[in-house]
């Protein structure tokens, strides 16, 4: 069985890496973080001009009509650069929800705008720090309008479109629907939320009689739709984590080879060798899980949920560990504001909570395996 990417996919990956190395060095991430810009507009414009925002969107809706594997290689490079752009919110989440479950009219209305970068999209599910669950989706949808508060919403300040998890009446999973909300149509206000990684903007969205349209042909299917969208996004976020892990490992390796202490490279000391070796092992484990997740996502495999959960667990573990050990390898300088180590640490912590914390994915994985064993 071949788990590797094709030559064309590897070429795409190389092109994205070159672009981000040239246009999105860590100085860009630092600028966005320090000036509290919503995102790096020039980097986003470049990604749009390369056609990357339309990668997995069908050609009939203005995209390139490629697939999940192409998105995976792009995600890995975005993670490597810790890119401060709303790609995941707009493409992994909003566009995928519309592509998978939108009616033909909804796709015709929104997907071309997302593919061309004319608008930015996001997904609004959380209503506080607790994990999302059908019983705690309190934003109400009635009469074509929604009311309530979603927080935190990543890239919500830059987005023009939100796919919002809403309660359409009743209880349980059947009460949850996904709604399409034009954030520029009125009835929506945004307030900033402080997070550990300000290079990705988070806001509180307050809806007051905001016009909203149910995603898909009928209400009450939102929870299953959301689960499918998050499974796919989990694999893509895992690739971002693999890219970030590799970047953190390379930063630590390079410093260990150039920094001398007591007349020796610090990389020659056993303690540093152990750190680098442990980072490498976790990175390879995360990569293996991400590749299996990519295969399940691309083929719409029956094991997508398990593969997505395993990808998220291994990816989160590897990236957080590597980001921490990178700081440790740099010693005292690694803790300073001037050091770039902080950006991968911030992004690792943020990504570990995106689309659900590792504990939620562990519970999901165990539940799926127990259900299979019981069948």
């Amino acid at each position: 069985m071949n788990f590797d990417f094709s030559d064309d996919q590897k070429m795409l990956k190389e092109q994205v890496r070159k672009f981000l190395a040239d246009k999105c060095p860590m100085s860009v991430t630092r600028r966005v973080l320090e000036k509290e810009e919503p995102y790096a507009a020039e980097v986003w414009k470049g990604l749009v001009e390369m056609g990357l925002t339309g990668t997995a969107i069908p050609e009939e809706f203005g995209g390139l009509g490629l697939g999940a594997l192409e998105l995976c290689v792009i995600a890995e490079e975005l993670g490597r650069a810790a890119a401060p752009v709303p790609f995941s919110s707009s493409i992994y989440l909003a566009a995928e929800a519309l592509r998978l479950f939108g009616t033909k009219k909804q796709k015709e209305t929104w997907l071309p705008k997302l593919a061309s970068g004319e608008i930015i999209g996001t997904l609004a599910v959380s209503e506080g720090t607790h994990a999302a669950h059908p019983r705690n989706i309190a934003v109400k949808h009635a009469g074509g309008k929604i009311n309530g508060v979603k927080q935190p919403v990543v890239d919500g300040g830059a987005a023009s479109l939100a796919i919002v998890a809403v309660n359409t009446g009743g209880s349980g999973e059947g009460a949850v629907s996904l709604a399409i909300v034009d954030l520029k149509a009125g009835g929506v206000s945004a307030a900033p939320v402080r997070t550990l990684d300000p290079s990705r903007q988070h806001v509180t969205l307050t809806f007051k009689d905001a016009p909203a349209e149910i995603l898909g042909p009928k209400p009450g299917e939102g929870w299953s739709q959301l689960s499918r969208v998050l499974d796919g996004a989990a694999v893509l976020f895992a690739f971002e984590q693999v890219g970030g892990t590799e970047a953190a490992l390379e930063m630590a390796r390079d410093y260990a080879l150039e920094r001398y202490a007591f007349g020796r490279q610090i990389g020659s000391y056993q303690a540093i060798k152990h750190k680098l070796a442990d980072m490498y092992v976790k990175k390879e484990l995360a990569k293996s899980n991400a590749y299996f997740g990519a295969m399940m996502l691309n083929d719409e495999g029956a094991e997508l949920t398990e593969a997505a959960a395993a990808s998220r667990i291994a990816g989160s573990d590897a990236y957080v560990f590597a980001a921490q050990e990178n700081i440790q390898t740099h010693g005292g300088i690694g803790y300073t504001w001037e050091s770039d180590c902080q950006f991968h640490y911030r992004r690792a912590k943020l990504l570990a909570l995106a689309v659900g914390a590792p504990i939620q994915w562990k519970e999901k994985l165990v539940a799926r395996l127990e259900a299979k064993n019981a069948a």
Side-chain angles (χ1 to χ4, degrees):
M1 186 176 293
N2 182 14
F3 282 90
D4 202 2
F5 291 104
S6 68
D7 289 341
D8 286 344
Q9 289 156 356
K10 290 176 182 176
M11 186 180 301
L12 172 63
K13 177 182 169 73
E14 189 62 27
Q15 289 176 339
V16 178
R17 178 176 296 194
K18 286 180 179 176
F19 170 77
L20 292 172
D22 183 37
K23 302 296 184 183
C24 191
M26 283 297 177
S27 57
V28 171
T29 302
R30 180 182 291 276
R31 187 200 74 208
V32 172
L33 184 147
E34 292 183 339
K35 294 187 177 180
E36 298 185 354
E37 298 174 22
Y39 60 94
E42 75 280 17
V43 179
W44 176 250
K45 181 182 178 184
L47 296 174
V48 170
E49 289 175 347
M50 292 172 72
L52 302 185
T53 46
T55 299
I57 294 175
E59 291 180 278
E60 64 179 305
F61 302 117
L64 298 178
L66 300 175
L69 296 182
E70 284 76 12
L71 275 185
C72 288
V73 299
I74 294 169
E76 186 171 344
E77 295 311 314
L78 291 172
R80 167 181 284 274
V85 292
F87 196 91
S88 55
S89 302
S90 195
I91 305 305
Y92 306 169
L93 296 169
E96 275 297 280
L98 283 159
R99 185 186 70 83
L100 289 169
F101 303 112
T103 63
K104 189 170 188 297
K105 183 179 178 182
Q106 289 169 345
K107 293 178 184 179
E108 289 174 341
T109 301
W110 296 108
L111 285 180
K113 295 178 182 177
L114 290 167
S116 68
E118 177 184 343
I119 64 169
I120 291 168
T122 189
L123 179 72
V125 178
S126 299
E127 298 181 14
T129 55
H130 50 265
H133 190 276
R135 66 173 175 270
N136 58 32
I137 299 297
V139 173
K140 297 287 186 183
H141 178 280
K145 295 183 178 180
I146 64 172
N147 287 278
V149 176
K150 291 289 185 183
Q151 64 172 339
V153 181
V154 62
D155 300 313
S160 302
L161 167 73
I163 306 298
V164 184
V166 297
N167 185 305
T168 46
S171 60
E173 294 185 9
V176 179
S177 300
L178 295 181
I180 304 170
V181 181
D182 182 348
L183 299 178
K184 305 301 182 186
V188 185
S189 60
V193 174
R194 298 295 298 177
T195 69
L196 187 62
D197 184 6
S199 69
R200 294 298 309 279
Q201 184 194 58
H202 288 67
V203 301
T204 296
L205 290 181
T206 301
F207 303 98
K208 292 183 178 178
D209 292 328
E213 178 185 5
I214 295 298
L215 176 69
K218 60 181 181 180
E221 298 179 342
W223 194 252
S224 62
Q225 293 171 342
L226 182 63
S227 296
R228 170 60 187 82
V229 171
L230 295 184
D231 281 349
V235 175
L236 296 166
F237 277 113
F239 271 90
E240 285 201 19
Q241 291 168 316
V242 168
T245 303
E246 287 186 341
L249 173 57
E250 290 169 7
M251 285 177 69
R253 178 204 62 194
D254 292 348
Y255 187 76
L257 292 175
E258 71 180 30
R259 170 70 171 155
Y260 280 72
F262 305 106
R264 292 171 55 185
Q265 289 174 323
I266 64 170
S268 67
Y269 291 103
Q270 199 66 25
I272 299 297
K273 290 179 180 178
H274 278 159
K275 287 184 182 296
L276 299 179
D278 289 343
M279 293 162 73
Y280 178 81
V281 169
K282 286 183 178 289
K283 186 260 291 183
E284 288 299 300
L285 182 61
K287 196 171 184 178
S288 299
N289 280 286
Y291 272 44
F292 183 60
M295 187 177 73
M296 288 294 108
L297 179 60
N298 190 61
D299 298 343
E300 291 289 336
E303 296 178 68
L304 173 59
T305 298
E306 295 94 314
S311 299
R312 279 291 293 163
I313 296 164
S316 299
D317 181 50
Y319 195 16
V320 171
F321 179 82
Q324 291 172 338
E325 290 298 87
N326 182 33
I327 293 173
Q328 290 283 341
T329 302
H330 278 71
I333 195 173
Y335 288 87
T336 64
W337 185 259
E338 288 72 20
S339 170
D340 287 340
C341 296
Q342 60 172 306
F343 300 118
H344 280 296
Y345 182 78
R346 292 173 186 275
R347 186 57 57 88
K349 288 289 189 180
L350 179 72
L351 289 185
L353 295 176
V355 296
I359 185 65
Q360 294 172 249
W361 289 99
K362 288 177 182 177
E363 291 173 353
K364 194 171 185 178
L365 178 59
V366 170
R368 290 282 293 192
L369 294 176
E370 286 180 342
K372 277 191 170 182
N373 290 335

